[in-house]
Amino acid sequence: MITYECRTLRTLADEERWPELLGLYRESRAIGAALRGEAQGAAETAPLGHLIAYGAPPELAARLFDQDGEPGSAATVGDHDAGPLWEVLATRHSWLRLAPLLGPARVRRLVRHTRVLLGERLDPGDEPDRDGVPLALEPWEQAGWEPGGRVREYLRTGGARRSLLTLPAGREGLGPVELPEPGTQVRELAATRLLAAAVPWATARCVRGSGPAAAARLATVPRVTGGYLPFGAVYPALLQAASEGPGRGSAQGRIAIWQLLAAMTGEPGLSEVNTLVARLRCFTWHEPADELRFVHLALEDPATGLAWAVSGAAYETPG
C-alpha cells in the first residue's frame, strides 16, 4: 500500500526522485495485487503511475511496464488513472525514444498508434500492425481536427482534458427528417458485433436499407433533426466514442474503427477500406433527451444495401 500522501509524492516528483518513486510504485502495486487482487492493486497505484508516466525520463517511465520484478509489480494495458498509463507515456515522448525501451507487445502496439494519432511519421516497415491498421493517418482520418485534439491532454499532477463527445456536434447543415419504417434487421454479422464492442455504452444494429431506416431502429421519435455528413466529419467523434472511459485510449478507438471498416468491406485491406469510406453515407441525428455526451450515427453502404446504426449516451463509464 502506498503510505505517502499525494502531496509527498508530488514533492518527490518535483525533486525528480524518479528511481525512488518507481521503486515505491512497483512495491506497492505488487503488494496490492497480492492482498486485494490485480484490479484493486492497479487502482491504488494509478495516481503514482500517472506521475511517473507523465514526468519521468522515458528510460525510467517505460519501466512501469517491465515484467521482470515481483508478480503484480508491472503496469498492464488496463492500468489507468485519468487515462491509460501507456497513453500518458505516449503523449510525452516520441516513438523513436520509446521503441527501444518498451517490452510488452500490447503496450508497444498502443503506444505506436497513439504516436500516429499525434502526427508522428513512423516507418511502415517497422513492426507492421497485426491487423493491418496503417502506421500513418489516411486523409479522412486527419479531416476535422488538429493533432492535439486526437488524444486526451494529460495534466502533470493528474487528470486530463478532452473535447466534448457529441455526434452530431450541432444542428448546422441538418434539418427536419421524417424517418421511414425501420429496415429489416440483419443479424450475426461480424461488423455489427465489432460496432457494439467498439461503443459498448451504446446500442448497435444492422439493417437492410438506408441510413435513416437504420436510425429508425434506434431513434426514440419518428421525426428528428438530422442529415448526412462525410465520414471524415464523423470520424473524430466516432473514434472518441470508441475510446470513451478512463480505461480506454484513442489508439484502442482507432484500431476498433479500422477493424469495423475492414469487416464491413468483407475484404480487409487499405485500398478496400478507403474505397468503402469514400462511398459511405453517414446519417446523424439529434434525440430529444440529448445532453452532453452522445452519439447517433448510421453508416449506409450503397454497394451492399446494408446500414449500421449506433446510438446512445455516455455517462460515467467503467474503466
Side-chain angles (χ1 to χ4, degrees):
M1 176 182 293
I2 294 178
T3 56
Y4 291 106
E5 295 181 358
C6 285
R7 62 176 177 272
T8 305
L9 294 174
R10 291 171 183 170
T11 298
L12 293 176
D14 290 339
E15 296 172 355
E16 298 187 352
R17 293 162 65 177
W18 299 116
E20 184 176 344
L21 285 169
L22 179 64
L24 176 61
Y25 174 88
R26 291 171 70 88
E27 177 184 2
S28 301
R29 196 189 184 292
I31 293 173
L35 296 180
R36 289 174 292 283
E38 175 73 16
Q40 188 62 29
E44 290 174 354
T45 54
L48 175 53
H50 181 105
L51 279 176
I52 296 169
Y54 186 96
E59 293 77 11
L60 189 139
R63 292 189 58 205
L64 286 167
F65 305 97
D66 280 356
Q67 299 174 331
D68 58 355
E70 295 292 323
S73 64
T76 70
V77 166
D79 285 59
H80 65 273
D81 187 34
L85 298 187
W86 54 262
E87 186 173 74
V88 179
L89 179 63
T91 64
R92 303 297 295 161
H93 307 286
S94 70
W95 178 244
L96 185 66
R97 293 287 304 276
L98 293 172
L101 306 172
L102 290 170
R106 293 184 67 198
V107 173
R108 290 181 66 84
R109 184 191 194 202
L110 293 171
V111 169
R112 276 167 43 231
H113 282 291
T114 304
R115 294 306 310 172
V116 169
L117 283 165
L118 290 171
E120 185 173 353
R121 294 182 177 274
L122 305 187
D123 181 355
D126 176 36
E127 301 181 39
D129 186 81
R130 65 171 187 251
D131 291 328
V133 181
L135 294 178
L137 296 179
E138 293 301 300
W140 51 266
E141 292 187 273
Q142 301 178 55
W145 55 352
E146 296 299 323
R150 298 173 192 157
V151 181
R152 294 181 184 94
E153 178 191 358
Y154 288 100
L155 308 179
R156 175 180 175 274
T157 55
R161 299 188 186 98
R162 197 175 197 187
S163 57
L164 188 64
L165 167 60
T166 58
L167 181 61
R171 296 175 183 268
E172 185 178 354
L174 307 182
V177 176
E178 191 77 33
L179 294 176
E181 288 296 313
T184 302
Q185 190 165 336
V186 181
R187 304 180 187 274
E188 304 301 325
L189 290 182
T192 313
R193 293 193 295 271
L194 287 168
L195 180 57
V199 193
W201 46 269
T203 302
R205 294 286 186 270
C206 177
V207 307
R208 192 166 299 282
S210 66
R217 276 276 166 193
L218 300 178
T220 60
V221 292
R223 186 176 176 82
V224 299
T225 299
Y228 284 94
L229 296 172
F231 188 80
V234 304
Y235 176 73
L238 184 58
L239 186 148
Q240 188 178 350
S243 55
E244 180 69 14
R248 292 167 72 99
S250 294
Q252 289 161 315
R254 181 176 188 247
I255 291 168
I257 292 172
W258 273 88
Q259 290 173 332
L260 167 66
L261 295 172
M264 289 172 67
T265 69
E267 298 179 11
L270 180 59
S271 62
E272 289 80 6
V273 168
N274 282 331
T275 299
L276 170 69
V277 166
R279 71 174 183 254
L280 278 178
R281 305 188 72 221
C282 306
F283 180 81
T284 184
W285 73 95
H286 280 279
E287 289 281 334
D290 287 342
E291 293 183 356
L292 293 177
R293 306 178 71 79
F294 54 86
V295 58
H296 310 296
L297 174 66
L299 301 172
E300 174 188 332
D301 183 359
T304 63
L306 298 176
W308 286 263
V310 59
S311 179
Y315 300 103
E316 290 299 321
T317 56

